[in-house]
Amino acid sequence: MQSVFRASFGRFLTLVSFLCVFLLFSCDKSDDSSEADETSSRTVLVYMVAENSLDASGYNFAVKDINEMLRGRSSMSDNDRLVIYYDGQSVPLLYVVDRKTKASVAEDLKGIEIFSGDVNSCDPEVLDDVVSYTMEHYQADSYGIIFWSHASGWVMQDHQNVKYRNAHMNFSFGVDNGKNSGSNMGREMNISEMASVLGRFPKFAFIMFDACFMQSVEVCHELKSCCNYIIGSPAEIPGPGAPYDKIMSPMFSDKLSVEGIVDAYYSYYNQSSQYGAVLSAVDCSQLDQLASTTSFYLSKYGQSFNDVDYSSVQNYFIYDSWNYMKDGMPDCYDINSLMKHLLSSEDYQSWRPSLYQAVPYRKSTSTWYTAFINGFLPVNLDEYGGISMFLPLDKYVGEKFLSDYETTSWAKTVLYN
């Protein structure tokens, strides 16, 4: 079994030279697809940060996923566009796929060079440039974006910032090692910066994370103004990632079906003995109500947080036994299971409807594979809520992520208001 997962391991402080980013506006077009001549019904950008182990020889997950996208192109309408930004172990390229694309495998696609050379795809300015280019050249009635890479949820990582000389910045999505190699030591992107970039553009119909641990209430709350729905996993995403040939149909249906995307993803792994899948769709319009209700009850029980036995709470990262990681990853408690153990039965029943409104669709296999123990862990389906939540407990004293957590919009709204 391949055990490369989309969580970034062994992240260390690293120094990377400044890379100047230049957009080339006189770009070569692909022979397979041309720019849209009229407004298309939906354009989906796949932002593939693959300059890391996911694109390493022997795995080649990026190319395999692009091949799946090509197999699923028949599900697109004539005016749909799939724009693939692929930064792997070569110069970053933009590929455009539509229903009429002739290529059937990734190696037959002709890419567009929108940058003059290699760039750091975890630099928010690069994300801004790619989204800007996509929306300018492939206009649509609605947009979606898929973030494809390693990730660690809301937990921030320290790296030298490429823009501010000796300043430091925290990052948590993607790994770009800047070396065109399979190393997972590289830059990552701060979720608040991601939100700042995406918030400049028309609201996305959906954001999907094909990356580990991103379906946390902290991440979703940070991005709630950027999109209508967020699709992802509170746990680890298998290395092969989404079955793109299966999710293309609901993704490009006339009426976007986030439930269909979750179902297709889940069904693929449910029918296989490998990995398992833990997934949900979050309705961003309901996150303010979830925050308000959660804040009310957490303030009521705040004095007893450290008196609860958390050993039976559904957990997607077990801090107490997996905390050998140098970057200090905390417990990733399932929000539903956590609140059920924190609150009285009566208060839990009063809180739970706000969760079901904010997370209207969730699916999970009975087990999922974690690379941290190289084995399977169970999912308590009776308590499964589809999204994780952090709780600042005494056992984390001394961990840097405690101060990072206080800067998240969720923490400011729910605990520190």
Side-chain angles (χ1 to χ4, degrees):
M1 174 182 291
Q2 294 170 318
S3 60
V4 173
F5 272 65
R6 300 191 179 189
S8 175
F9 307 127
R11 299 180 174 111
F12 299 93
L13 184 64
T14 183
L15 300 177
V16 182
S17 300
F18 177 80
L19 295 175
C20 296
V21 180
F22 297 98
L23 274 175
L24 302 181
F25 292 101
S26 55
C27 303
D28 296 329
K29 297 185 179 70
S30 166
D31 290 342
D32 296 294
S33 299
S34 60
E35 295 180 14
D37 295 326
E38 57 184 294
T39 300
S40 60
S41 59
R42 184 165 301 127
T43 291
V44 176
L45 169 63
V46 187
Y47 195 78
M48 305 184 81
V49 182
E51 203 165 338
N52 50 59
S53 63
L54 293 175
D55 205 36
S57 177
Y59 291 109
N60 305 117
F61 291 131
V63 170
K64 292 174 182 177
D65 279 351
I66 293 173
N67 288 342
E68 290 175 352
M69 296 172 201
L70 287 169
R71 290 201 295 272
R73 69 188 183 276
S74 61
S75 299
M76 304 166 69
S77 74
D78 289 341
N79 290 322
D80 288 332
R81 297 292 183 276
L82 186 68
V83 179
I84 307 166
Y85 172 74
Y86 172 35
D87 183 8
Q89 295 178 32
S90 61
V91 175
L93 293 172
L94 202 74
Y95 299 110
V96 183
V97 174
D98 61 25
R99 187 181 180 90
K100 299 177 183 177
T101 296
K102 298 175 184 177
S104 57
V105 293
E107 64 182 13
D108 292 336
L109 286 170
K110 293 184 179 180
I112 303 168
E113 292 188 18
I114 66 171
F115 297 109
S116 59
D118 192 22
V119 296
N120 167 22
S121 294
C122 289
D123 185 337
E125 290 184 359
V126 174
L127 173 61
D128 191 299
D129 288 341
V130 173
V131 176
S132 294
Y133 185 94
T134 299
M135 289 196 172
E136 177 183 353
H137 291 78
Y138 306 100
Q139 297 179 16
D141 297 323
S142 68
Y143 296 90
I145 186 167
I146 299 173
F147 286 99
W148 186 108
S149 194
H150 289 301
S152 58
W154 63 269
V155 179
M156 303 175 186
Q157 310 295 337
D158 284 333
H159 294 277
Q160 174 122 0
N161 187 283
V162 294
K163 301 193 293 290
Y164 299 112
R165 296 185 181 180
N166 294 324
H168 289 75
M169 189 166 289
N170 299 318
F171 295 85
S172 54
F173 165 77
V175 173
D176 187 322
N177 61 50
K179 300 176 181 178
N180 294 321
S181 73
S183 169
N184 283 334
M185 291 187 291
R187 299 198 191 287
E188 305 166 32
M189 187 182 299
N190 189 342
I191 301 306
S192 61
E193 286 198 321
M194 177 186 289
S196 180
V197 170
L198 298 182
R200 294 183 51 247
F201 299 96
K203 182 178 286 189
F204 290 84
F206 72 94
I207 293 173
M208 176 174 163
F209 285 105
D210 205 9
C212 295
F213 299 117
M214 296 304 284
Q215 202 73 328
S216 74
V217 71
E218 295 84 9
V219 169
C220 293
H221 195 267
E222 208 76 40
L223 295 169
K224 66 184 176 66
S225 299
C226 303
C227 62
N228 296 328
Y229 291 93
I230 299 175
I231 302 166
S233 174
E236 290 158 83
I237 287 287
Y244 286 93
D245 51 337
K246 307 293 192 303
I247 71 171
M248 291 276 280
S249 179
M251 191 164 69
F252 284 103
S253 60
D254 289 339
K255 187 178 186 303
L256 174 70
S257 175
V258 294
E259 297 89 351
I261 295 173
V262 172
D263 275 338
Y265 201 135
Y266 158 80
S267 296
Y268 175 79
Y269 284 104
N270 190 43
Q271 294 168 7
S272 169
S273 61
Q274 286 190 323
Y275 303 120
V278 185
L279 294 162
S280 72
V282 167
D283 182 346
C284 293
S285 69
Q286 300 298 318
L287 284 173
D288 284 339
Q289 182 59 49
L290 176 62
S292 176
T293 308
T294 303
S295 179
F296 173 80
Y297 285 110
L298 289 184
S299 65
K300 182 177 178 180
Y301 289 85
Q303 298 301 316
S304 60
F305 285 171
N306 293 290
D307 299 329
V308 175
D309 179 5
Y310 293 95
S311 62
S312 58
V313 177
Q314 179 67 52
N315 196 357
Y316 304 110
F317 184 94
I318 304 174
Y319 171 86
D320 293 324
S321 58
W322 299 351
N323 63 351
Y324 59 85
M325 290 184 65
K326 299 301 183 183
D327 46 20
M329 186 85 170
D331 292 292
C332 294
Y333 293 123
D334 186 284
I335 190 173
N336 187 49
S337 182
L338 181 60
M339 295 297 280
K340 185 174 182 179
H341 286 76
L342 280 175
L343 310 185
S344 68
S345 178
E346 181 181 1
D347 284 345
Y348 169 70
Q349 294 299 325
S350 296
W351 169 86
R352 189 170 59 178
S354 65
L355 171 66
Y356 289 168
Q357 290 172 350
V359 191
Y361 204 71
R362 67 195 73 82
K363 297 295 284 285
S364 178
T365 51
S366 59
T367 61
W368 97 97
Y369 179 84
T370 170
F372 293 103
I373 64 169
N374 192 28
F376 288 85
L377 288 178
V379 177
N380 184 340
L381 297 178
D382 291 334
E383 297 185 1
Y384 174 58
I387 189 169
S388 69
M389 185 177 81
F390 174 72
L391 200 63
L393 303 173
D394 287 349
K395 68 177 180 178
Y396 302 126
V397 170
E399 294 283 12
K400 181 186 177 297
F401 57 69
L402 278 178
S403 59
D404 291 337
Y405 173 74
E406 293 176 5
T407 70
T408 65
S409 63
W410 173 263
K412 291 177 181 178
T413 301
V414 172
L415 283 178
Y416 305 115
N417 51 18

